[in-house]
């Protein structure tokens, strides 16, 4: 007889871990993430082109090593790593060791130059790029009770919730440091400690180069009072239900991750630096501006004008305020200058 697990009460971190990454979890489904939500990678090839230009800048800062790593962390079905390889100059592409890191099986037809791994290489010289990865590192949720005490939110497989024990230990310390609870009943916070740990581990694997996390984000001055936990199914936002039928995600406290990554790099004795910026600022620094082509081009070369206009529209979507342009970029340089600094 199969065990009935639908009535188990668990914290959101444990429930989401199983629902997303268990044997029949959401991220093991054949359609992949692209079947349910659209990221910058899916919005336009301009995004992969910008990442390729960034990789070239890292290459220059590293004095063009014989082997240049590009690690696509949370690679989905390999869309970004494939696009980056296609956009690189031939001389750079010939030296690139490309890795897709994902729990799902290697996609059929993936470029044979791409290695497919379940965890990042231990020694990286180049660029580690985590696009919408941290928001799917499961976290526990805290809610303030009627006495003003933050308690863990417990959930069953059908999405029903109740309050559990008071938050304690390292989780309570994280809340006090990064998301201090206000004693008002019903207010919520997502305890981002597992994401700090995951990002510190990722940065620690970069010997020299750059680590970047791109995600929905908030910082200490913009924490949402009721949290951000939600689900996505077939392109639409939905209630988060930890049964494997939908994505379960929450925005990322990128400022906390930045400090954790810097601490990990310092412990390893690496010369490093971290900063936060918007996707709009990052992509503009990489030449994606959304500027419309000159009207004169329409009369001199109509076909080129139409292509340029389409590209402009895609760039505008990637950098739009209130949309993808507001994504946070956590840029962590290790042993090289930040290649996104203005010249």
């Amino acid at each position: 007889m199969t065990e009935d697990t639908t009535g188990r009460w668990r914290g959101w971190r444990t429930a989401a871990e199983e629902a997303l990454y268990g044997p029949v979890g959401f991220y093991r489904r054949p359609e992949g993430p692209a079947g349910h939500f659209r990221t910058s990678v899916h919005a336009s090839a301009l995004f992969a082109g910008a990442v390729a230009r960034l990789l070239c800048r890292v290459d220059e800062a590293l004095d063009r090593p014989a082997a240049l790593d590009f690690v696509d962390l949370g690679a989905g079905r390999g869309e970004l790593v494939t696009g980056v390889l296609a956009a690189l100059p031939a001389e750079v592409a010939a030296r690139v060791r490309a890795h897709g890191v994902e729990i799902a099986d290697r996609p059929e037809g993936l470029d044979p130059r791409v290695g497919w791994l379940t965890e990042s290489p231990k020694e990286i010289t180049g660029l580690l790029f985590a696009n919408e990865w941290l928001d799917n590192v499961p976290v526990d949720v805290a809610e303030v009770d009627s006495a003003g005490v933050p308690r863990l939110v417990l959930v069953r497989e059908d999405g029903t919730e109740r309050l559990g024990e008071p938050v304690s230990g390292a989780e309570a310390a994280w809340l006090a440091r990064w998301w201090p609870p206000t004693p008002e009943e019903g207010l919520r916070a997502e305890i981002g400690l597992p994401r700090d740990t995951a990002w510190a581990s990722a940065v620690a694997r970069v010997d020299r180069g750059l680590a970047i996390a791109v995600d929905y984000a908030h910082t200490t001055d913009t924490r949402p009072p009721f949290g951000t936990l939600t689900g996505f199914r077939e392109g639409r936002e939905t209630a988060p239900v930890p049964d494997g039928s939908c994505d379960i995600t929450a925005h990322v406290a990128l400022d906390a991750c930045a400090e954790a990554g810097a601490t990990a790099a310092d412990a390893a004795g690496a010369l490093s630096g971290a900063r936060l910026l918007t996707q709009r600022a990052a992509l503009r620094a990489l030449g994606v501006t959304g500027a419309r082509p000159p009207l004169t081009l329409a009369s001199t070369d109509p076909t080129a004008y139409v292509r340029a206009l389409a590209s402009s529209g895609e760039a505008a979507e990637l950098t739009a305020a209130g949309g993808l342009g507001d994504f946070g970029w956590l840029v962590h340089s290790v042993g090289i200058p930040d290649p996104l600094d203005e010249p």
Side-chain angles (χ1 to χ4, degrees), residues 195-343:
R195 292 166 172 180
D196 295 358
T197 302
W199 184 245
S201 176
V203 171
R205 295 179 180 231
V206 180
D207 289 340
R208 290 184 68 221
L210 199 66
I212 292 185
V214 180
D215 239 308
Y216 302 96
H218 46 65
T219 54
T220 51
D221 56 345
T222 60
R223 303 284 190 236
F226 298 101
T228 61
L229 187 73
T230 191
F232 283 93
R233 182 188 296 114
E234 297 177 354
R236 296 186 178 184
E237 190 168 2
T238 185
V241 178
D243 61 0
S245 68
C246 66
D247 185 28
I248 298 171
T249 179
H251 294 196
V252 182
L254 275 183
D255 48 352
C257 294
E259 183 173 290
T263 300
D266 290 345
L271 177 64
S272 68
R275 66 168 173 144
L276 297 171
L277 65 163
T278 64
Q279 175 156 297
R280 180 166 50 259
L283 290 184
R284 285 178 175 172
L286 293 167
V288 180
T289 65
R292 293 174 64 89
L295 282 174
T296 53
L297 185 62
S299 57
T300 59
D301 191 340
T303 301
Y305 177 77
V306 170
R307 286 198 301 265
L309 194 62
S311 179
S312 172
E314 292 175 7
E317 180 183 3
L318 290 173
T319 59
L324 295 175
D326 289 345
F327 268 49
W329 280 45
L330 169 51
V331 180
H332 200 121
S333 56
V334 181
I336 64 169
D338 182 346
L340 282 172
D341 272 343
E342 294 294 333

Side-chain angles (χ1 to χ4, degrees), residues 101-116:
V101 181
E102 185 59 76
I103 64 158
D105 293 339
R106 181 186 180 92
E108 292 185 10
L110 184 66
D111 190 317
R113 294 175 294 174
V114 179
W116 199 253

